[in-house]
Structures are given as C-alpha cells and as structure tokens.
Amino acid sequence: MKYSSLFVGALILAVALPLCCGYYVVDGPQADDATIGSACNDGKGCETVTGSKCSIGTGKGICICIDGMIPNGDGKSCVSGVATVGSTCFNNIGCEKVTESKCNADTGMGKCICNDGKIPNGDGKSCAAGDATVGSTCFNKLGCEKVKDSMCDKETGVGKCICNEGEIPNGDGKSCATGTAGIGSSCFMNIGCETVANAKCSSSDGKGQCTCNDGYHDQGDTCAQDTKLGDACGKDNICTGSTECTSEGFCTCKAGFHAGDDLLCITGNATIGSTCKENLGCEQVIGLKCDAENVTGNCSCDHGFYASEDGLTCANVIGSTCNDNATCEARLSNTECNGDKCQCKSGYLEKSGICEPGAGSSCSETDTCGDKYATCTDGKCQCKANYTAMEGVCRPGLNEKCDDTDNPCSDLFADCGKNSTCVCQDKYEEKDNKCLAPYNMACTPDDGCITARAQCTNNTQTMEWMCLCPNKEKYLKDDDKCSGSIATLTLWAAILSISLRFIM
C-alpha cells in the first residue's frame, strides 16, 4: 500500500507539472530554454523559437532561423529580414549567408561583421578583400572598427568611413588625427574636406589634399569663386582661377577648361554643345566656334569642320573619308570625293579648311578668292598687276615678293632671291619684266633670247626649248649674235663694192 501510494503520487506530479508550469520533456533539450543556436535533435527542440527550425532533420543540430528571417535581439525568435553586415546574430548564428563574414559574439547577441582583411560590399550582403581606411565602405555602422578615431557616416545601409569630429585623415588613411580641415590639408579617398566650403579631395583612390572645386580658387584658407566666362577684365579687374583675359578685355576659359551652365570654367576641353557666350568659350579647341555673338549659346563645328562620330569633337572636312561627292558636299560646299577623300573641286583652293575659288576661276560678289593676290572682278578671280594665274594661284613676277615653297616666281627662269623677291637666274637677263635666255640655254617662247636674231626653238635632238640661231645662220660668239645667210652676206658685199666705186 505504501509503495502504491508513492507511485500514484508520482504519476499525478508527472501529469500536473506540465499543466501548471508549462514544462514538458522532449527527446533533447528543454523547449522553453531554446534560443537561436540551441541544440536540437531529429528536427525537434526549436518549437518555442518563433520563425526557427532545427538545422538537421535527423540527428543532432542547432536552432536556426528559417529563410527570409534573422535572429531577434534576445535570440528567442526570428524576425523578417535579410542578413547583412551589421544585422543581428545570436550564439554565432545568423551570418552564414553574408559571404566572408562572422558573428562577433560566440554566445548571446552579436552583429555580423566582415572577416579580417575584408570590408563590406556596397549592398552589405557580402564582404570583399580590402583593408578598412578612411573612405572605404561600411554598412549599418560596421566596417570602420580598425580605423582609429573613425566612424561610419550612416546609421543604416551603406556608408563611408569618416573621421570623428575634430579629426582629419592621416596619410595612409588607416587612422585619423586631431586637426582641422582646410585648403592643403590631408584627405583620403574623397573623404576629409567636407567641412571646407567649395572644396574637394584631390584623390578618389588614396592619399590627397583638399583643393578648391572647379570654378573656385584658393584664397588663403577659403575657396573663392572664379571670374566667369564673359566677365570684363583689364588692369584693375583680373581674371581668376581657370580663366584668362583676352585681348578684347573679356575673361575666357583657359586651355583644358570649358564653361558650365553657370559660366564658371571647369576641367575638360570644350566640346560640341558646351556653353559659350559672346563668341567666347570655344576658341581653345580647333574646329569649334560659338553660335552666339551677344548672348549665351553653345559650341558648334566651325566652317570647314563637321561633327565626328563621337558627337563631341569636330574634324576637318578636307581629307575626311567619303564614298561619294554628295557626302563631301553635305559637309562643305565646293568639295568632291576624290580617292575616297573629300577634296576641293578643281579650280578651288583650300584656305583655312574651306574651299575658295582660285585665280582664274569664276566667283560671285560674296566669294573671297582663295589667293590673297586675287580679287573677284567681273565674275572672275583676277590676279593683281605683275602676278600671273597658274594652277589657281597668283605667282609673282620679277621684283615681287616671293617664297620658294608657298609662292614661287611665275617666270620659269626666275628664283626667289636673297631679299625674297623674284630675280632672273644667273646668265639670264631681265627685260620687259621677263627673263631672256642666253644662247644655247633653256628658254620659253614667251620670254625670248638675249642673243640677237636667236630664236627659242624646240631642239629636235634634246627635245628641249633652247635659244638657237635660225637655220643656215651661224652663231658669232664674239658679237653674241647670229650671222645672216650666205646669200644675204654676198648681196651686202656686192652693194658695198658698188658703193666704194662711186665714192672713188
């Protein structure tokens, strides 16, 4: 009876305790003590951890959050979320899906952090190789722990490691030191100049210095705004920063700079569409012009140029590739496709990238003749006095200014002399603005010969034009003349004899 009563009492306790105290036994750990990271067996033991499961269906496992959930702070439940750097982990569980990361707490609540030698990627869902520095990526306030005196500039989401207030980056970017940012102070990866108005870090991938933004210049400890494109300048008003004063007295952008919409000059050459004003702002780039003379406009291709394939730069029409005449004519008037290249039409000369009518070619009142010594007169480009049209060019005559390369003399036997004027070659004589040839030397029928009675004749042996005596006449060297024929000499001898008789 005694033992029977004890058995009944024990049975009552076994049934009553779970009902009054919420305690029961399973195959494994006690369920009311379960948290993320607790042991479980054969898929059981995590029932009281909301949103969790046993990591293994058969055998020993641990309680983990189901997909799409992360541990809550107390580890007794899971909440909806995606694991990232900075998200909650518990008992070293919860960071498995963040590549190259770990939980910073072996027991209890922690945060997902990157492994040593890794830094957060921009989405926080993985970590990549790299050492944390000022300017490197952080996520959910994590990732800057190894940069002394720094912090993540964002409470949640992706951010950048920045120095604490009153600190500036050291040269290697791995720590911050006491200091005040100013023009010339140290910065790192575009971080460290935020408190300097109108300034930026000179480097986006390493050590730099605080410098003024485009359109501003260093004025002691501050950045002052540059003068703008088109501002008046002179002795008392100088152009500052990236501008310079033109001879007309207006500020324009220096080479390598172009105007923004606010007319401040910023880094980079002007391109098609860049802002310009009053014919300024495009002139530093060959082929560009401003399409506005008195107001704000845009840069476009100058006459003789066309837009390149990139749509930003201009290329010379002359010499550009073509398939037909229409292609060239559409780019520039008076051109044709010749040998797959755009060239000036016959009778036109290229001058500063455009095709103008040459000497001897037809012209209109609005045309400018391609040769500076020609003017449009009576519908034709005519050379000035003592110049001769040759292959569309006005060639200088004797005693006119010349150039052996660009402007040779019109007379075949004239050279550009020491004083850069056309003079007859050695042994040739000037007469009536022509170079006469000596006997038995090359000549032209237009110029003639020095030797009396000699003629510029096509030598049948040499096939060259040369000064020679007429047939049946002899060259008298001492007198430098050609003698008459034998019949003529006999006649003159007879006349002389008769004359002498009468005299006697």
Side-chain angles (χ1 to χ4, degrees):
M1 182 68 180
K2 181 179 180 181
Y3 292 105
S4 176
S5 298
L6 290 173
F7 175 77
V8 172
L11 181 62
I12 292 171
L13 286 172
V15 174
L17 281 174
L19 293 175
C20 72
C21 303
Y23 177 85
Y24 59 96
V25 179
V26 297
D27 293 335
Q30 296 173 340
D32 64 343
D33 291 333
T35 63
I36 294 298
S38 294
C40 56
N41 288 319
D42 296 332
K44 297 178 180 180
C46 307
E47 290 79 4
T48 60
V49 183
T50 305
S52 75
K53 65 179 181 179
C54 187
S55 61
I56 295 178
T58 302
K60 294 181 179 181
I62 56 174
C63 295
I64 62 173
C65 292
I66 63 176
D67 290 344
M69 306 196 86
I70 58 176
N72 216 338
D74 59 4
K76 294 182 179 181
S77 63
C78 296
V79 295
S80 179
V82 177
T84 62
V85 172
S87 63
T88 302
C89 52
F90 201 88
N91 289 344
N92 212 14
I93 301 297
C95 307
E96 297 77 20
K97 292 189 176 182
V98 182
T99 307
E100 297 290 350
S101 77
K102 62 184 177 181
C103 184
N104 64 357
D106 289 333
T107 58
M109 187 185 77
K111 296 287 185 181
C112 294
I113 62 172
C114 290
N115 292 334
D116 291 345
K118 308 288 181 178
I119 58 176
N121 274 322
D123 59 3
K125 295 179 181 180
S126 62
C127 299
D131 293 325
T133 63
V134 172
S136 64
T137 302
C138 52
F139 202 87
N140 290 345
K141 292 196 70 176
L142 291 176
C144 309
E145 298 77 21
K146 292 190 176 181
V147 182
K148 183 182 177 182
D149 293 322
S150 77
M151 62 181 178
C152 185
D153 65 352
K154 292 292 180 66
E155 291 281 339
T156 58
V158 63
K160 296 288 184 182
C161 295
I162 62 173
C163 290
N164 294 335
E165 189 174 351
E167 309 272 338
I168 59 174
N170 276 322
D172 59 4
K174 294 180 179 180
S175 62
C176 299
T178 302
T180 302
I183 302 302
S185 65
S186 175
C187 58
F188 203 87
M189 290 178 64
N190 274 340
I191 300 295
C193 309
E194 297 77 17
T195 60
V196 184
N198 302 310
K200 62 183 178 182
C201 184
S202 62
S203 175
S204 61
D205 57 4
K207 179 182 178 181
Q209 288 185 324
C210 293
T211 60
C212 293
N213 291 335
D214 286 342
Y216 292 81
H217 61 279
D218 182 1
Q219 194 168 1
D221 293 331
T222 61
C223 293
Q225 183 175 287
D226 295 345
T227 48
K228 294 185 176 182
L229 179 73
D231 285 352
C233 56
K235 182 178 179 181
D236 298 324
N237 298 311
I238 63 171
C239 299
T240 58
S242 303
T243 63
E244 60 187 7
C245 195
T246 66
S247 57
E248 290 78 19
F250 295 97
C251 293
T252 189
C253 297
K254 293 179 179 179
F257 294 85
H258 69 281
D261 292 339
D262 56 3
L263 298 181
L264 290 173
C265 296
I266 56 180
T267 302
N269 288 321
T271 61
I272 295 172
S274 293
T275 301
C276 61
K277 182 181 180 182
E278 298 173 352
N279 282 332
L280 295 171
C282 313
E283 72 282 359
Q284 299 284 12
V285 179
I286 295 175
L288 284 180
K289 66 173 183 179
C290 185
D291 61 10
E293 293 185 3
N294 301 310
V295 293
T296 300
N298 299 102
C299 296
S300 59
C301 291
D302 201 354
H303 195 42
F305 293 82
Y306 73 104
S308 302
E309 291 183 2
D310 60 12
L312 299 175
T313 57
C314 301
N316 281 296
V317 174
I318 303 301
S320 62
T321 303
C322 57
N323 295 318
D324 50 42
N325 291 337
T327 301
C328 299
E329 191 69 26
R331 295 172 180 170
L332 180 67
S333 58
N334 303 319
T335 56
E336 61 185 5
C337 190
N338 190 349
D340 298 329
K341 300 291 183 183
C342 290
Q343 304 292 345
C344 291
K345 289 181 178 178
S346 177
Y348 287 81
L349 300 176
E350 179 191 351
K351 293 294 179 181
S352 300
I354 62 176
C355 298
E356 297 175 338
S361 296
S362 299
C363 58
S364 64
E365 294 180 356
T366 58
D367 284 332
T368 299
C369 294
D371 193 291
K372 65 180 180 180
Y373 297 108
T375 55
C376 189
T377 306
D378 298 329
K380 184 175 288 189
C381 287
Q382 299 186 23
C383 296
K384 63 183 290 188
N386 203 22
Y387 283 77
T388 303
M390 301 176 69
E391 298 179 345
V393 178
C394 293
R395 298 285 178 80
L398 294 177
N399 304 309
E400 298 289 351
K401 288 292 182 181
C402 56
D403 185 294
D404 274 335
T405 303
D406 296 328
N407 196 23
C409 304
S410 59
D411 196 298
L412 185 62
F413 303 108
D415 292 331
C416 199
K418 293 182 179 180
N419 296 324
S420 296
T421 55
C422 291
V423 293
C424 292
Q425 294 175 2
D426 187 36
K427 297 183 180 180
Y428 286 76
E429 290 184 5
E430 179 184 346
K431 184 178 181 181
D432 298 331
N433 207 31
K434 295 181 180 181
C435 292
L436 276 60
Y439 184 77
N440 204 34
M441 290 187 67
C443 60
T444 65
D446 289 340
D447 285 346
C449 306
I450 300 172
T451 302
R453 295 179 57 80
Q455 298 176 349
C456 190
T457 305
N458 190 358
N459 190 327
T460 56
Q461 294 180 348
T462 63
M463 300 305 294
E464 295 179 333
W465 290 88
M466 302 185 69
C467 282
L468 300 172
C469 291
N471 288 337
K472 299 182 180 181
E473 291 194 19
K474 294 183 178 181
Y475 175 61
L476 303 178
K477 184 177 180 180
D478 292 341
D479 298 327
D480 190 25
K481 66 179 182 179
C482 294
S483 67
S485 64
I486 296 176
T488 302
L489 292 175
T490 302
L491 176 61
W492 279 106
I495 293 172
L496 180 61
S497 177
I498 293 171
S499 299
L500 289 173
R501 287 180 183 178
F502 277 107
I503 294 172
M504 295 176 63

